[in-house]
């Protein structure tokens, strides 16, 4: 049995954060019904590369595996009736409309709990359902700017720098998973549903972890640390090698000694400027220059496994092609294949990010727009005539 | 009732990723028993700023609220007996030793499921319990280098850049929460426990989201995008203003028009080079230069709320001090106070990252080393003489 087998999810979300949440739930075995606008569907279907067919972009497919798609026009009363029936039989609901929109559509938590008091309902938004920023429009990079992430990221000598991928869109989706699963646990004990208010901005603070209590405690705004390790010592840094960059994390004396042995620079260890932690901190810049010269003489990809074998924390700075094709993943099969309608080959994607002893999780097929409309309606008790009437009314 | 009330967690973890996981579980109401080495405890207790007393660093306190601390020396057989009793009555277990260490200590999943077949056991490691990298030492910035995160982050004209905070330490802890809660759901249905193998490297790919399927589909390694929004248009960028930087996300025509009205640069809209999306893409660099000149004339903090009111996605690039003290958080109370032994004031920290309709979650006190040793032992059935014997043997 998959972890979330039997859990029913009603997915009213679009774009990235909501679908990331429900994609994780689907990977874990939940039964996810994705509701989309007739004709167009989730805007993300039409975003950049198309995989196999129109309305099936790769970014869309990557976060919509194993879901069932039904089209519904929220503004039609006949469609609202369908939504209420779906909400009645669902355990979890996810939406990421702008705050206030769900209420306007009559699909807010207070309305839907009337038909299902055990429903756990998550709303994902930029800044949350309360507070001064509530109605501001958010994109990932806007929240990065607002939250301090951009300010903390980048070169100490340069300006603030956005993280190079939509970190908060994705992360806030995972935060919603945590809120939903925790509230589902309580629901299973008490029968009571819950409302989970997930804000991208609040999620950003959770991801920044210790930076927040440290600021509150010291009142001090820390500068950008660039490529230095968190200990801020020269032996925990990123250096240029003959064939690219390498990151080193030699924090402890035994790691530093091992590093010098592999790099044939034991003379550094004899140098009294670098003899112990205190002197290395005092002479940080000289040590950094010395190590810069040493690493530049080596081939990074060649020394990486030798340093690792000597228990020095190390990684050659890889791009996605270099890491995803590494033999490590021959033994550790974390990538899944999702069937793509219209394409000859399945789409390869990341699994849930962890592996379970109870069995490998698989990714289901990516749905075409409205692929399961009839099947879902039939499951709700609509007969052929009822489905035809919904279609004639433009509700599906 | 809190979401995870009654859930018992045995926490054998240290440093950052494991404690982040169990801190979230504690915030959600679980009963977390943190096992620490006698005398020293979690190394993170002694890391940078001390809050109130020795052995109570701020980074430690931030991820160890509401836990109970018991000291146990894993190498003493008497301590092993205590651990087995704790494992027997626990629902979840979290450890982040290096792969192989738990087995050496006789505390691995296969051993502990013998005393509790319903135990859900999470192991967090750098590269996972399988694969070529299994035994390599990982720190956060090493995994950033390995995973492609560093390669994708930073200035397009510069080299790879580490994200400015330990993003993967934190995120892999949250991934473990998802794995644990999903497996707990299955356990509650079937009585069967599970093993959750969380790797920092695999987690990094989950956080990168769409980049992975996009690489697999196109085979193309994308360059760094720096501070540009993901649409790569000049109206979705970060600009310097008279008093700092501002991030703009005007992707749609109506947003661009609103931005120009607020900035009094409607003339741009008349310019045929920038009249529509296609021409703006064609003349990207000219538009970027024109907007650079315009934003430099404005005060960023002053125009931000005016742009937001006109529905332009916008944020002044704030540092932590500027955002955490913003009036938004007067209405939206996401920060919690945790009692700190030895300190006059509580430590302020981020809550779970979401708010629940069923009630505000609170942070419990941060434990001193071994504060609950006697209480926990008594709960396991040890009497005063038994506890004294454990102490005499150096087991606690």
């Amino acid at each position: 049995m998959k972890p979330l087998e039997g859990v029913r999810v009603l997915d009213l979300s679009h774009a990235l954060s909501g679908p990331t949440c429900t994609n994780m739930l689907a990977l874990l075995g939940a039964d996810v019904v994705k509701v989309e606008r007739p004709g167009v569907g989730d805007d993300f279907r039409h975003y950049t590369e198309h995989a196999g067919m129109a309305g099936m972009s790769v970014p869309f497919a990557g976060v919509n595996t194993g879901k069932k798609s039904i089209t519904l026009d929220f503004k039609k009363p006949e469609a609202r009736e369908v939504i209420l029936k779906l909400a009645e039989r669902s355990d979890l609901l996810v939406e990421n409309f702008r705050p206030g929109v769900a209420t306007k559509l009559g699909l807010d938590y207070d309305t839907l709990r009337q038909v299902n008091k055990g429903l756990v309902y998550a709303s994902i938004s930029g800044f949350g359902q309360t507070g001064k920023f509530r109605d501001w429009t958010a994109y990932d990079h806007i929240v990065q700017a607002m939250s301090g992430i951009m300010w903390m990221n980048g070169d100490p000598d340069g300006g603030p720098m956005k993280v190079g991928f939509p970190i908060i869109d994705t992360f806030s989706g995972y935060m919603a998973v945590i809120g939903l699963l925790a509230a589902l646990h309580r629901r299973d004990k008490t029968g009571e549903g819950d409302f989970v208010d997930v804000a991208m901005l609040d999620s950003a603070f959770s991801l920044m972890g210790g930076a927040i209590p440290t600021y509150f405690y010291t009142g001090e705004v820390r500068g950008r640390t660039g490529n230095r390790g968190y200990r801020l010592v020269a032996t925990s840094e990123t250096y240029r090698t003959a064939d690219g960059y390498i990151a080193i994390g030699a924090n402890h004396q035994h790691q530093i000694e091992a590093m010098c042995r592999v790099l044939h620079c034991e003379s550094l260890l004899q140098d009294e400027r670098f003899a112990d932690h205190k002197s290395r901190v005092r002479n940080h810049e000289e040590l950094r220059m010395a190590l810069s010269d040493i690493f530049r003489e080596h081939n990074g990809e060649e020394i990486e496994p030798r340093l690792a074998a000597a228990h020095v924390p190390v990684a050659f700075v890889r791009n996605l092609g270099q890491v995803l094709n590494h033999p490590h993943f021959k033994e550790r099969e974390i990538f899944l294949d999702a069937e793509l309608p219209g394409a000859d080959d399945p789409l390869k994607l990341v699994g849930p990010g962890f592996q379970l002893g109870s069995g490998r999780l698989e990714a289901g097929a990516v749905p075409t727009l409205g692929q399961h409309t009839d099947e879902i309606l039939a499951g709700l008790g609509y007969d052929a005539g009822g489905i035809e009437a919904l279609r004639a009314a433009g509700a599906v």
Side-chain angles (χ1 to χ4, degrees), chain A residues 92-104:
Chain A
L92 311 177
L93 183 149
V94 180
E95 64 93 359
N96 62 344
F97 299 116
R98 288 176 55 169
V101 171
T103 305
K104 226 177 273 175

Side-chain angles (χ1 to χ4, degrees), chain A residues 38 71-74 76-80 82 389-396:
Chain A
T71 53
L72 284 174
D73 181 348
F74 294 137
K76 297 277 158 68
E78 298 89 341
R80 216 181 106 73
V82 177
L390 285 171
R391 202 155 266 134
V396 302

Side-chain angles (χ1 to χ4, degrees), chain A residues 138-146 150 162-163 166 168-169 200:
Chain A
Y139 293 131
D140 178 90
H141 73 289
I142 297 297
V143 179
Q144 288 200 35
M146 178 74 88
M150 197 182 277
K162 178 172 73 70
V163 172
I168 302 301
D169 273 336
M200 290 166 70

